[in-house]
Coordinates of all heavy atoms in Angstrom, one line a residue:
M1458 N 2.6 -7.2 16.3 CA 3.8 -7.7 16.8 C 3.8 -9.2 16.9 O 2.8 -9.8 17.3 CB 4.1 -7.0 18.2 CG 4.2 -5.5 18.1 SD 4.8 -4.6 19.5 CE 4.9 -5.6 20.8
S1459 N 5.0 -9.8 16.6 CA 5.1 -11.1 16.7 C 6.4 -11.4 17.6 O 7.4 -11.0 17.3 CB 5.4 -11.7 15.4 OG 5.7 -13.1 15.4
K1460 N 6.1 -12.1 18.7 CA 7.2 -12.5 19.7 C 7.9 -11.2 20.1 O 9.0 -11.1 20.4 CB 8.2 -13.4 19.1 CG 7.6 -14.7 18.8 CD 8.6 -15.6 18.2 CE 8.0 -17.0 17.8 NZ 8.9 -17.9 17.2
G1461 N 7.0 -10.0 20.3 CA 7.6 -8.8 20.8 C 8.3 -8.0 19.8 O 8.9 -7.0 20.2
K1462 N 8.3 -8.4 18.6 CA 9.0 -7.6 17.5 C 8.1 -6.9 16.6 O 7.1 -7.5 16.0 CB 10.0 -8.5 16.8 CG 10.8 -7.7 15.7 CD 11.8 -8.7 15.1 CE 12.6 -8.0 14.1 NZ 13.5 -8.7 13.3
R1463 N 8.1 -5.6 16.4 CA 7.3 -4.9 15.6 C 7.7 -4.9 14.2 O 8.9 -4.8 13.8 CB 7.2 -3.4 16.0 CG 6.3 -2.5 15.2 CD 6.3 -1.1 15.5 NE 6.2 -0.9 17.0 CZ 5.1 -0.5 17.6 NH1 4.0 -0.3 16.9 NH2 5.0 -0.4 18.9
F1464 N 6.8 -5.2 13.2 CA 7.2 -5.3 11.8 C 7.5 -4.0 11.3 O 8.4 -3.7 10.6 CB 6.1 -6.0 10.9 CG 6.3 -5.9 9.5 CD1 7.4 -6.5 8.9 CD2 5.4 -5.2 8.7 CE1 7.6 -6.4 7.5 CE2 5.5 -5.1 7.3 CZ 6.6 -5.7 6.7
V1465 N 6.5 -2.9 11.4 CA 6.8 -1.6 11.0 C 5.9 -0.7 11.8 O 4.9 -1.0 12.2 CB 6.4 -1.5 9.4 CG1 4.9 -1.8 9.2 CG2 6.8 -0.2 8.8
Q1466 N 6.5 0.5 11.9 CA 5.7 1.7 12.5 C 5.4 2.7 11.4 O 6.5 3.4 11.0 CB 6.5 2.3 13.7 CG 5.7 3.4 14.3 CD 4.5 3.1 15.0 OE1 4.4 2.1 15.7 NE2 3.4 3.8 14.7
L1467 N 4.3 2.8 10.9 CA 4.0 3.7 9.7 C 4.0 5.1 10.3 O 3.4 5.4 11.4 CB 2.7 3.4 9.1 CG 2.7 2.0 8.4 CD1 1.3 1.8 7.9 CD2 3.7 2.0 7.3
D1468 N 4.5 6.1 9.5 CA 4.5 7.5 9.9 C 4.1 8.3 8.6 O 4.1 7.8 7.6 CB 5.7 8.0 10.5 CG 6.8 7.9 9.6 OD1 6.8 7.4 8.5 OD2 8.0 8.4 10.0
V1469 N 3.6 9.5 8.8 CA 3.4 10.5 7.8 C 4.8 11.0 7.4 O 5.3 11.8 8.2 CB 2.4 11.6 8.1 CG1 2.2 12.5 7.0 CG2 1.1 10.9 8.6
P1470 N 5.3 10.8 6.2 CA 6.6 11.2 5.8 C 6.7 12.8 5.9 O 5.7 13.5 5.6 CB 6.8 10.9 4.3 CG 5.8 9.7 4.2 CD 4.7 10.0 5.1
G1471 N 7.7 13.3 6.4 CA 8.0 14.7 6.6 C 7.4 15.3 7.9 O 8.0 16.4 8.3
T1472 N 6.6 14.5 8.6 CA 6.0 15.1 9.9 C 6.5 14.2 11.0 O 6.5 14.7 12.2 CB 4.5 15.2 9.8 OG1 4.0 13.9 9.8 CG2 4.0 16.0 8.6
G1473 N 6.6 13.0 10.7 CA 6.9 11.9 11.8 C 5.7 11.6 12.6 O 5.8 10.7 13.5
G1474 N 4.6 12.2 12.3 CA 3.3 11.8 12.9 C 2.9 10.4 12.6 O 3.2 9.9 11.5
P1475 N 2.2 9.7 13.4 CA 1.7 8.3 13.2 C 0.7 8.3 12.0 O -0.1 9.2 11.7 CB 1.0 7.9 14.4 CG 0.6 9.2 15.1 CD 1.6 10.2 14.7
A1476 N 0.8 7.2 11.3 CA -0.2 6.9 10.2 C -0.8 5.5 10.4 O -0.1 4.6 10.8 CB 0.5 6.9 8.8
A1477 N -2.1 5.4 10.4 CA -2.8 4.1 10.5 C -3.0 3.5 9.2 O -3.3 4.1 8.2 CB -4.1 4.3 11.2
A1478 N -2.8 2.1 9.0 CA -3.0 1.5 7.8 C -4.4 0.9 7.6 O -5.0 0.4 8.6 CB -1.9 0.3 7.8
D1479 N -4.8 0.9 6.5 CA -6.1 0.4 6.1 C -6.0 -0.3 4.7 O -5.1 0.1 3.9 CB -7.2 1.4 6.1 CG -8.6 0.8 6.2 OD1 -8.8 -0.4 6.2 OD2 -9.5 1.6 6.2
G1480 N -6.7 -1.3 4.4 CA -6.7 -2.0 3.0 C -5.4 -2.4 2.7 O -4.7 -2.1 1.8
I1481 N -4.9 -3.4 3.5 CA -3.5 -4.0 3.3 C -3.5 -5.1 2.3 O -4.4 -6.0 2.4 CB -3.0 -4.4 4.7 CG1 -2.9 -3.3 5.7 CG2 -1.6 -5.1 4.5 CD1 -2.6 -3.7 7.0
R1482 N -2.5 -5.0 1.3 CA -2.4 -6.1 0.3 C -0.9 -6.4 0.2 O -0.1 -5.5 0.5 CB -3.0 -5.7 -1.1 CG -4.4 -5.4 -1.0 CD -5.2 -6.7 -0.9 NE -6.6 -6.4 -0.9 CZ -7.4 -6.1 0.1 NH1 -6.9 -6.1 1.3 NH2 -8.8 -5.9 0.0
C1483 N -0.5 -7.6 -0.5 CA 0.8 -7.9 -0.7 C 1.0 -8.0 -2.2 O 0.0 -8.4 -2.9 CB 1.2 -9.2 0.0 SG 1.3 -9.1 1.8
D1484 N 2.2 -7.9 -2.6 CA 2.5 -8.1 -4.1 C 3.3 -9.4 -4.2 O 3.7 -10.0 -3.3 CB 3.3 -6.9 -4.7 CG 4.6 -6.6 -4.2 OD1 5.3 -7.5 -3.6 OD2 5.1 -5.5 -4.3
A1485 N 3.6 -9.7 -5.4 CA 4.3 -11.0 -5.8 C 5.7 -11.0 -5.3 O 6.3 -12.1 -5.1 CB 4.2 -11.3 -7.3
D1486 N 6.3 -9.9 -4.9 CA 7.6 -9.8 -4.5 C 7.7 -9.9 -3.0 O 8.8 -9.8 -2.4 CB 8.3 -8.5 -5.0 CG 8.3 -8.4 -6.5 OD1 8.6 -9.5 -7.1 OD2 8.1 -7.4 -7.0
G1487 N 6.6 -9.9 -2.3 CA 6.5 -10.0 -0.8 C 6.5 -8.6 -0.1 O 6.6 -8.5 1.1
N1488 N 6.3 -7.6 -0.9 CA 6.1 -6.2 -0.3 C 4.7 -6.0 0.2 O 3.7 -6.6 -0.4 CB 6.5 -5.1 -1.3 CG 7.9 -5.3 -1.8 OD1 8.8 -5.5 -1.1 ND2 8.1 -5.3 -3.1
V1489 N 4.4 -5.3 1.2 CA 3.2 -5.0 1.8 C 2.8 -3.6 1.3 O 3.5 -2.6 1.4 CB 3.2 -5.0 3.3 CG1 1.9 -4.5 3.9 CG2 3.7 -6.4 3.8
W1490 N 1.6 -3.5 0.7 CA 1.0 -2.2 0.3 C -0.1 -1.8 1.3 O -1.0 -2.7 1.6 CB 0.4 -2.3 -1.1 CG 1.5 -2.6 -2.1 CD1 2.3 -3.8 -2.2 CD2 1.7 -1.9 -3.3 NE1 3.1 -3.7 -3.3 CE2 2.8 -2.5 -4.0 CE3 1.4 -0.6 -3.7 CZ2 3.4 -2.0 -5.2 CZ3 1.9 -0.1 -4.9 CH2 2.9 -0.8 -5.6
A1491 N -0.1 -0.7 1.8 CA -1.2 -0.2 2.7 C -1.7 1.2 2.5 O -0.9 2.1 2.2 CB -0.6 -0.3 4.2
G1492 N -3.0 1.3 2.5 CA -3.6 2.6 2.5 C -3.3 3.4 3.8 O -3.7 2.9 4.8
A1493 N -2.5 4.3 3.7 CA -2.0 5.0 4.9 C -1.5 6.4 4.5 O -0.9 6.6 3.4 CB -0.9 4.3 5.7
S1494 N -1.9 7.4 5.3 CA -1.5 8.8 5.0 C -0.1 8.9 4.6 O 0.8 8.3 5.1 CB -1.7 9.7 6.2 OG -3.1 9.9 6.5
P1495 N 0.2 9.7 3.5 CA -0.8 10.5 2.7 C -1.3 9.9 1.5 O -1.7 10.4 0.5 CB 0.2 11.7 2.3 CG 1.5 11.0 2.1 CD 1.6 9.8 3.1
G1496 N -1.5 8.5 1.4 CA -2.1 7.8 0.4 C -1.8 6.3 0.5 O -2.5 5.7 1.2
V1497 N -1.0 5.8 -0.3 CA -0.5 4.4 -0.2 C 1.0 4.2 0.2 O 1.8 4.9 -0.5 CB -0.9 3.5 -1.5 CG1 -0.5 2.1 -1.3 CG2 -2.4 3.7 -1.8
Q1498 N 1.3 3.4 1.1 CA 2.7 3.2 1.4 C 3.1 1.8 1.2 O 2.4 0.9 1.4 CB 3.1 3.5 2.9 CG 2.8 5.0 3.3 CD 3.3 5.4 4.6 OE1 4.3 4.9 5.2 NE2 2.6 6.3 5.3
V1499 N 4.3 1.7 0.5 CA 4.9 0.3 0.2 C 5.9 0.0 1.1 O 6.9 0.7 1.3 CB 5.3 0.3 -1.2 CG1 5.8 -1.1 -1.7 CG2 4.2 0.9 -2.2
I1500 N 5.8 -1.2 1.8 CA 6.8 -1.6 2.8 C 7.4 -2.9 2.4 O 6.8 -3.8 2.1 CB 6.2 -1.8 4.2 CG1 5.2 -0.6 4.5 CG2 7.2 -2.1 5.2 CD1 5.9 0.7 4.7
A1501 N 8.8 -3.1 2.4 CA 9.5 -4.2 2.0 C 9.4 -5.2 3.2 O 9.0 -4.9 4.3 CB 11.0 -3.9 1.8
A1502 N 9.8 -6.4 2.9 CA 9.8 -7.5 3.9 C 10.6 -7.2 5.1 O 10.4 -7.8 6.2 CB 10.2 -8.8 3.3
T1503 N 11.6 -6.3 4.9 CA 12.4 -5.9 6.0 C 11.8 -4.9 7.0 O 12.3 -4.5 8.0 CB 13.8 -5.2 5.4 OG1 13.4 -4.1 4.7 CG2 14.5 -6.2 4.6
G1504 N 10.7 -4.3 6.6 CA 10.0 -3.3 7.4 C 10.3 -1.9 6.9 O 9.8 -1.0 7.5
E1505 N 11.1 -1.7 5.9 CA 11.6 -0.4 5.4 C 10.5 0.1 4.3 O 10.2 -0.6 3.5 CB 12.9 -0.5 4.7 CG 13.4 0.7 4.1 CD 14.7 0.5 3.4 OE1 15.2 -0.6 3.3 OE2 15.2 1.6 2.9
R1506 N 10.1 1.4 4.5 CA 9.3 1.9 3.5 C 10.0 2.1 2.2 O 11.2 2.8 2.2 CB 8.7 3.3 3.9 CG 7.8 3.9 2.9 CD 7.1 5.2 3.4 NE 7.9 6.1 4.0 CZ 7.7 6.6 5.2 NH1 6.6 6.3 5.8 NH2 8.5 7.5 5.8
I1507 N 9.6 1.5 1.1 CA 10.4 1.6 -0.3 C 9.6 2.4 -1.3 O 10.1 2.7 -2.4 CB 10.7 0.2 -0.7 CG1 9.5 -0.6 -0.9 CG2 11.7 -0.5 0.1 CD1 9.7 -1.9 -1.6
G1508 N 8.4 2.8 -1.0 CA 7.6 3.6 -1.9 C 6.4 4.2 -1.4 O 6.0 3.9 -0.2
M1509 N 5.8 5.1 -2.1 CA 4.6 5.8 -1.7 C 3.8 6.3 -2.9 O 4.5 6.8 -3.8 CB 5.0 6.9 -0.8 CG 3.8 7.6 -0.1 SD 4.3 8.7 1.2 CE 5.9 9.4 0.7
I1510 N 2.6 6.3 -2.8 CA 1.7 6.9 -3.7 C 0.9 8.0 -3.0 O 0.1 7.7 -2.2 CB 0.8 6.0 -4.5 CG1 1.5 4.9 -5.2 CG2 -0.2 6.7 -5.4 CD1 0.7 3.7 -5.7
R1511 N 1.2 9.2 -3.3 CA 0.5 10.4 -2.6 C -0.9 10.6 -3.2 O -1.0 10.6 -4.5 CB 1.3 11.7 -2.6 CG 2.6 11.5 -1.8 CD 3.4 12.9 -1.8 NE 4.5 12.8 -1.0 CZ 4.6 13.1 0.3 NH1 3.4 13.5 0.9 NH2 5.7 13.0 0.9
L1512 N -1.8 10.7 -2.4 CA -3.2 11.0 -2.9 C -3.7 12.3 -2.1 O -3.2 12.6 -1.0 CB -4.2 9.9 -2.6 CG -3.9 8.6 -3.3 CD1 -4.9 7.5 -2.7 CD2 -4.1 8.7 -4.7
P1513 N -4.7 13.1 -2.8 CA -5.1 14.3 -2.1 C -6.2 14.0 -1.0 O -6.7 15.0 -0.4 CB -5.7 15.1 -3.2 CG -6.1 14.0 -4.2 CD -5.1 12.9 -4.1
E1514 N -6.4 12.7 -0.7 CA -7.4 12.4 0.3 C -7.0 11.2 0.9 O -6.2 10.4 0.4 CB -8.8 12.4 -0.3 CG -9.0 11.6 -1.5 CD -10.4 11.8 -2.1 OE1 -11.4 11.8 -1.4 OE2 -10.4 11.7 -3.4
N1515 N -7.7 10.8 2.0 CA -7.4 9.6 2.7 C -7.7 8.4 1.9 O -8.8 8.3 1.3 CB -8.1 9.6 4.1 CG -7.6 10.4 5.1 OD1 -6.4 10.8 5.0 ND2 -8.4 11.0 6.0
C1516 N -6.9 7.3 2.0 CA -7.2 6.1 1.2 C -7.6 5.0 2.1 O -7.0 4.7 3.1 CB -5.9 5.6 0.6 SG -6.1 4.1 -0.4
A1517 N -8.9 4.5 1.9 CA -9.5 3.6 2.8 C -9.3 2.1 2.5 O -9.3 1.2 3.3 CB -11.0 3.8 2.9
N1518 N -9.1 1.8 1.2 CA -9.0 0.5 0.7 C -8.2 0.4 -0.5 O -8.3 1.3 -1.4 CB -10.3 -0.2 0.6 CG -10.2 -1.7 0.8 OD1 -9.2 -2.3 0.9 ND2 -11.5 -2.3 0.9
I1519 N -7.5 -0.7 -0.8 CA -6.8 -0.9 -2.0 C -6.9 -2.4 -2.4 O -7.2 -3.3 -1.6 CB -5.2 -0.6 -1.8 CG1 -4.6 -1.5 -0.8 CG2 -5.0 0.8 -1.4 CD1 -3.1 -1.4 -0.7
C1520 N -6.7 -2.6 -3.7 CA -6.6 -3.9 -4.3 C -5.9 -4.0 -5.7 O -5.9 -2.9 -6.3 CB -8.0 -4.6 -4.4 SG -9.0 -3.9 -5.7
F1521 N -5.3 -5.0 -5.9 CA -4.7 -5.2 -7.3 C -5.7 -5.8 -8.2 O -6.5 -6.7 -7.8 CB -3.5 -6.2 -7.2 CG -2.3 -5.6 -6.5 CD1 -2.0 -5.8 -5.2 CD2 -1.4 -4.7 -7.2 CE1 -0.9 -5.3 -4.5 CE2 -0.3 -4.2 -6.6 CZ 0.0 -4.5 -5.3
G1522 N -5.8 -5.4 -9.4 CA -6.8 -5.9 -10.4 C -6.2 -5.7 -11.8 O -5.0 -5.6 -12.0
G1523 N -7.2 -5.9 -12.8 CA -6.8 -5.8 -14.1 C -6.3 -7.3 -14.6 O -6.2 -8.2 -13.8
T1524 N -6.2 -7.5 -15.9 CA -6.0 -8.8 -16.5 C -4.6 -9.3 -16.0 O -4.5 -10.5 -15.9 CB -6.0 -8.8 -18.0 OG1 -5.2 -7.8 -18.4 CG2 -7.4 -8.4 -18.5
K1525 N -3.7 -8.5 -15.7 CA -2.4 -9.0 -15.2 C -2.2 -8.7 -13.8 O -1.0 -8.9 -13.3 CB -1.2 -8.3 -16.1 CG -1.3 -8.6 -17.5 CD -0.2 -7.9 -18.3 CE -0.3 -8.1 -19.8 NZ 0.7 -7.5 -20.6
R1526 N -3.1 -8.3 -13.0 CA -3.1 -7.9 -11.6 C -2.0 -6.9 -11.3 O -1.3 -6.9 -10.3 CB -2.9 -9.2 -10.8 CG -4.0 -10.1 -10.9 CD -4.0 -11.2 -9.9 NE -3.7 -10.9 -8.5 CZ -4.6 -10.5 -7.6 NH1 -5.8 -10.4 -8.0 NH2 -4.2 -10.3 -6.4
N1527 N -1.7 -6.0 -12.3 CA -0.7 -5.0 -12.1 C -1.3 -3.6 -12.1 O -0.5 -2.6 -12.4 CB 0.4 -5.0 -13.3 CG -0.2 -4.8 -14.6 OD1 -1.4 -4.8 -14.8 ND2 0.6 -4.4 -15.6
R1528 N -2.5 -3.5 -11.8 CA -3.2 -2.1 -11.7 C -3.7 -2.0 -10.2 O -4.4 -3.0 -9.8 CB -4.4 -2.1 -12.6 CG -5.0 -0.7 -12.7 CD -6.0 -0.6 -13.8 NE -6.4 0.7 -14.0 CZ -7.4 1.1 -14.9 NH1 -7.8 0.2 -15.7 NH2 -7.8 2.4 -15.0
L1529 N -3.2 -1.1 -9.6 CA -3.7 -0.8 -8.2 C -4.9 0.1 -8.1 O -4.8 1.2 -8.6 CB -2.5 -0.2 -7.4 CG -2.7 0.0 -5.9 CD1 -2.8 -1.4 -5.2 CD2 -1.6 0.9 -5.3
F1530 N -5.9 -0.4 -7.5 CA -7.1 0.4 -7.3 C -7.1 0.9 -5.8 O -6.9 0.2 -5.0 CB -8.4 -0.4 -7.6 CG -8.5 -0.8 -9.0 CD1 -8.0 -2.0 -9.5 CD2 -9.2 0.1 -9.9 CE1 -8.2 -2.2 -10.8 CE2 -9.4 -0.2 -11.3 CZ -8.9 -1.4 -11.7
M1531 N -7.4 2.3 -5.7 CA -7.4 2.9 -4.4 C -8.7 3.6 -4.1 O -9.0 4.5 -5.0 CB -6.2 3.8 -4.3 CG -4.9 3.3 -4.6 SD -3.6 4.5 -5.1 CE -4.0 4.5 -6.9
A1532 N -9.4 3.1 -3.2 CA -10.7 3.8 -2.8 C -10.4 4.8 -1.7 O -10.0 4.5 -0.6 CB -11.7 2.7 -2.2
A1533 N -10.7 6.1 -2.0 CA -10.3 7.1 -1.1 C -11.6 7.7 -0.5 O -12.7 7.1 -0.8 CB -9.5 8.2 -1.9
S1534 N -11.6 8.8 0.2 CA -12.7 9.3 0.9 C -13.9 9.6 -0.1 O -15.1 9.3 0.2 CB -12.4 10.6 1.5 OG -11.3 10.5 2.4
Q1535 N -13.6 10.3 -1.2 CA -14.6 10.6 -2.1 C -14.4 10.2 -3.5 O -15.1 10.6 -4.5 CB -14.9 12.1 -2.2 CG -15.4 12.6 -0.8 CD -15.6 14.1 -0.8 OE1 -15.9 14.7 -1.8 NE2 -15.5 14.7 0.4
S1536 N -13.3 9.5 -3.9 CA -12.8 9.1 -5.2 C -12.3 7.7 -5.3 O -11.8 7.2 -4.2 CB -11.7 10.2 -5.6 OG -12.2 11.5 -5.5
L1537 N -12.2 7.2 -6.6 CA -11.6 6.0 -6.8 C -10.5 6.3 -7.7 O -10.6 6.9 -8.7 CB -12.5 5.0 -7.4 CG -12.0 3.7 -7.9 CD1 -11.5 2.9 -6.7 CD2 -13.0 2.9 -8.7
Y1538 N -9.2 5.8 -7.4 CA -8.0 6.2 -8.2 C -7.4 4.8 -8.7 O -7.7 3.7 -8.0 CB -7.0 6.8 -7.3 CG -7.3 8.2 -6.8 CD1 -7.9 8.2 -5.5 CD2 -7.1 9.3 -7.5 CE1 -8.3 9.4 -5.0 CE2 -7.5 10.6 -7.0 CZ -8.0 10.6 -5.8 OH -8.4 11.9 -5.3
S1539 N -6.8 4.8 -9.7 CA -6.0 3.6 -10.2 C -4.8 4.0 -10.9 O -4.7 5.1 -11.5 CB -6.9 2.8 -11.1 OG -7.1 3.4 -12.4
V1540 N -3.8 3.1 -10.8 CA -2.4 3.3 -11.5 C -1.9 1.9 -11.8 O -2.0 1.0 -11.0 CB -1.5 4.2 -10.5 CG1 -1.1 3.4 -9.3 CG2 -0.3 4.5 -11.2
Y1541 N -1.2 1.9 -12.9 CA -0.4 0.7 -13.2 C 0.8 0.7 -12.5 O 1.5 1.7 -12.4 CB -0.2 0.5 -14.7 CG -1.5 0.2 -15.4 CD1 -2.2 1.2 -16.1 CD2 -1.9 -1.1 -15.6 CE1 -3.4 0.9 -16.8 CE2 -3.0 -1.4 -16.3 CZ -3.8 -0.4 -16.9 OH -4.9 -0.8 -17.6
V1542 N 1.2 -0.5 -11.9 CA 2.4 -0.6 -11.2 C 3.4 -1.6 -11.7 O 2.9 -2.4 -12.6 CB 2.1 -0.9 -9.7 CG1 1.4 0.2 -9.0 CG2 1.4 -2.2 -9.6
L1543 N 4.7 -1.6 -11.4 CA 5.7 -2.6 -11.9 C 5.8 -3.8 -11.2 O 6.8 -4.4 -11.2 CB 7.0 -1.8 -12.1 CG 7.0 -0.5 -12.9 CD1 8.4 0.1 -12.9 CD2 6.7 -0.9 -14.4
T1544 N 4.7 -4.3 -10.6 CA 4.6 -5.5 -10.0 C 3.3 -6.1 -10.1 O 2.4 -5.5 -10.8 CB 5.0 -5.5 -8.5 OG1 5.2 -6.8 -7.9 CG2 4.0 -4.6 -7.7
T1545 N 3.0 -7.2 -9.6 CA 1.7 -7.9 -9.6 C 1.2 -8.2 -8.2 O 2.0 -8.4 -7.3 CB 1.6 -9.1 -10.5 OG1 2.6 -10.1 -9.9 CG2 1.9 -8.8 -12.0
G1546 N -0.1 -8.2 -8.0 CA -0.6 -8.6 -6.7 C -0.4 -10.0 -6.4 O -0.3 -10.8 -7.3
A1547 N -0.1 -10.3 -5.1 CA 0.1 -11.7 -4.8 C -1.1 -12.6 -5.1 O -2.2 -12.1 -4.8 CB 0.5 -11.8 -3.4
H1548 N -1.0 -13.8 -5.6 CA -2.1 -14.6 -5.8 C -2.4 -15.5 -4.6 O -1.5 -16.0 -4.0 CB -1.8 -15.5 -7.0 CG -3.0 -16.4 -7.5 ND1 -4.2 -15.9 -7.9 CD2 -3.1 -17.7 -7.4 CE1 -5.0 -16.9 -8.2 NE2 -4.3 -18.0 -7.9
I1549 N -3.7 -15.6 -4.2 CA -4.1 -16.4 -3.1 C -4.3 -17.8 -3.7 O -5.2 -18.0 -4.6 CB -5.3 -15.9 -2.5 CG1 -5.0 -14.5 -2.0 CG2 -5.8 -16.8 -1.3 CD1 -6.3 -13.7 -1.4
A1550 N -3.7 -18.7 -3.2 CA -3.7 -20.1 -3.7 C -5.0 -20.9 -3.1 O -5.4 -20.5 -2.0 CB -2.5 -20.9 -3.4

C-alpha cells in the first residue's frame, strides 16, 4: 500500500479466495506479472487483472528470457514451464 491505497488484491478466479504473489516481474508495457494461484496473473497499471496463465501446480517464480525477452519462464512446484508472450520483459537500466 502506498499512502493508504492498495494497488491490487489478488484472488483465485472463480472462488474469490485470496492468492499470494511470488516471483513478480514487469513487462515493457508497465504490466505486472506475478506467480499467483492458479498460475501466473497479469495485472495492468490500473490494478485490473488483464490476463492469466493457468498451471496445474503452484508457481513459485517467473522471469522473462530468450533472445528477445519475450519468453516467460515459470518455476512451479515440480516443473519448469515456458511460453512465448506478445510482450517483452522490462529492461533494467
Side-chain angles (χ1 to χ4, degrees):
M1458 292 189 357
S1459 174
K1460 297 182 183 178
K1462 185 177 179 186
R1463 183 185 309 260
F1464 170 64
V1465 66
Q1466 176 66 48
L1467 296 176
D1468 64 354
V1469 179
T1472 69
D1479 198 1
I1481 299 168
R1482 299 290 183 267
C1483 291
D1484 66 23
D1486 301 317
N1488 300 313
V1489 176
W1490 297 62
S1494 291
V1497 177
Q1498 296 191 33
V1499 185
I1500 311 300
T1503 61
E1505 174 188 5
R1506 181 174 44 232
I1507 58 172
M1509 184 171 34
I1510 300 171
R1511 292 184 180 267
L1512 297 175
E1514 52 189 319
N1515 291 331
C1516 182
N1518 205 349
I1519 61 172
C1520 72
F1521 288 97
T1524 57
K1525 297 180 182 178
R1526 296 186 52 81
N1527 66 339
R1528 190 171 185 181
L1529 183 69
F1530 291 93
M1531 300 159 279
S1534 301
Q1535 299 181 23
S1536 307
L1537 177 64
Y1538 300 91
S1539 71
V1540 64
Y1541 286 98
V1542 294
L1543 297 176
T1544 188
T1545 59
H1548 182 63
I1549 299 171

